[in-house]
Amino acid sequence: MAKSNDSVRPFGMRDKLGYMFGDFGNDFTFILSSSFMLKFYTDVMGISPGVVGMLMMAARFVDAVTDVTMGQIVDRTSPSKDGKFKPWLKRMCGPVAISSFLIYQSGFANMAYGFKVLWMVITYILWGSVFYTTINIPYGSMASAISADPEDRARLSTWRTIGATLAGLVIGVGTPMVAYEVVDGNTVLSGPRMTVIAGVFSALAIVCYLLCFHLVQERVEVKANNRKLDTGRLLKSLAVNRSLLGIIAAAVLLLLGMLGMQGMAGYVYPNYYGSAPAQSASALVGSIVMLVICAPLASKLSAKFGKKELSMVSCAFGAVVYVVCLFLNPQNPYVYVGFYALAYVGLGFFNTVIWAMITDVIDDAEVKNGVREDGTIYSVYSFARKLGQALSSGMIGALLGMIGYTPDTAFDPGVTKGIFNLSCIIPAAGLGAVALTLFFIYPLSKKRVEENVAILERRRSEV
């Protein structure tokens, strides 16, 4: 039920900026992990890529419990004077930032191998499976409480993507310019520099979370779900929710493609092309594509054609771009950056509207079940995103091991050619699979979404 207090300010730019800062804060640690953690632990700490990838996948079993548990906690918590969701940002911004910083402690590089693995396991699980969960689930669920208007939610989705893009710009462009150094003619990652960078990003994450807390206002009162927890009913309702299963599958595949692009960038540019500046350029171009093309056009195109329809076509386009790049095998790193930019247009539209698609899924579940479960549904989706992140890192680690990558073979011609091939094949396969999943599984077409909105408006007007 929407709050009726006339003193509540209307939805506006302050909310959009605040919600943007929330994802800015999230991605200061999330993008850093997806883009540089594997590189840091293989090249600086000397851990096998297979071991790092195995950790990232194994941690998802922990997330299966922590994410859904946090979703239930959020759904069953009564609103406070600050709202139901945003108080969690203030409570947990410190722990998530500190735990992220602890991951990148290069001072332990000369410690015993077992100690380094143990340190990696503890800090990564604390960050990703515990503290990040306690802030990301409420943040993602909060969109439904900021406004009941689907168009406002689509705008929040766009501004959330802008926040992620700006974080990617800072991390993707700035980090390679500072973190790499040339040693014996090779471009290598500096451990001490990465530690400092992680500390700076953690501090900035706290600032962004607090800005989100103070700028955003929850207008829709989402009451505590006092229904007795029936685990069987919950699992059954989730298992037969085709829209949720479809968006989960698409999200996992999107992250395999997108994080595959970002993760392999740390290898294809310095190792195959020998150019850290080109890595910064690719991140800059990707951010420009999101801010100049995808963010301004996504809402308009999705309003005209539908979010599902737009995402399906754009991801298929991105897959084709990488297939062409694989066969042409450009030798100039900046030609490769051009292919990267074109493919980013493809995934960018889906990545911009996906957060609004989650609210469509929540609405669809409420239409069917008569219960609003923002936190629970978002927590399942959040788990899927983490699973996609882990599978991406695990897949990259395993594939790098298969082509013989180690710190000693990192610049061998056969290994670097394998790195290039993987940098094209991984995103092409991921984005192509997204398009097929949206077409065959995800049911929420433009027509279906409009029907659900009308049903819920009618129900709420009758209360």
Side-chain angles (χ1 to χ4, degrees), residues 211-439:
L211 284 171
C212 180
F213 175 83
H214 288 291
L215 291 174
V216 165
Q217 183 166 5
E218 296 183 20
R219 294 171 183 79
V220 180
E221 184 179 357
V222 182
K223 296 181 178 180
N225 178 9
N226 295 320
R227 176 185 290 186
K228 183 179 179 181
L229 178 60
D230 185 340
T231 305
R233 181 203 64 82
L234 175 63
L235 293 176
K236 182 179 179 180
S237 66
L238 294 175
V240 299
N241 188 332
R242 185 179 170 190
S243 59
L244 177 60
L245 296 176
I247 201 65
I248 284 175
V252 170
L253 293 167
L254 171 70
L255 285 167
L256 287 176
M258 183 173 68
L259 298 181
M261 290 168 65
Q262 295 174 353
M264 288 305 302
Y267 295 90
V268 71
Y269 289 110
N271 295 77
Y272 183 70
Y273 287 113
S275 176
Q279 183 177 352
S280 292
S282 71
L284 176 61
V285 170
S287 298
I288 291 173
V289 164
M290 290 294 292
L291 294 173
V292 176
I293 298 176
C294 297
L297 295 179
S299 295
K300 296 177 182 178
L301 291 175
S302 63
K304 183 175 183 179
F305 299 107
K307 294 185 279 291
K308 168 185 174 176
E309 294 81 357
L310 171 65
S311 302
M312 184 172 58
V313 173
S314 63
C315 285
F317 170 77
V320 171
V321 168
Y322 263 111
V323 170
V324 173
C325 183
L326 175 66
F327 282 101
L328 293 182
N329 190 13
Q331 296 304 300
N332 186 306
Y334 293 98
V335 175
Y336 181 89
V337 170
F339 280 102
Y340 179 94
L342 284 174
Y344 222 85
V345 174
L347 73 85
F349 281 118
F350 181 40
N351 201 38
T352 299
V353 301
I354 193 169
W355 306 109
M357 294 172 78
I358 297 304
T359 59
D360 292 342
V361 172
I362 293 171
D363 285 348
D364 189 58
E366 185 179 3
V367 167
K368 293 176 179 177
N369 303 326
V371 180
R372 191 80 184 179
E373 294 179 311
D374 300 71
T376 299
I377 291 176
Y378 187 83
S379 69
V380 174
Y381 172 72
S382 175
F383 167 69
R385 284 185 64 86
K386 290 183 181 180
L387 182 63
Q389 180 197 21
L391 289 174
S392 174
S393 298
M395 176 182 61
I396 292 172
L399 292 174
L400 286 172
M402 288 176 62
I403 65 172
Y405 181 91
T406 68
D408 295 327
T409 65
F411 294 93
D412 291 353
V415 172
T416 57
K417 183 59 168 66
I419 287 173
F420 169 80
N421 291 340
L422 291 177
S423 74
C424 296
I425 293 171
I426 293 172
L431 293 176
V434 169
L436 293 173
T437 299
L438 291 173
F439 182 79

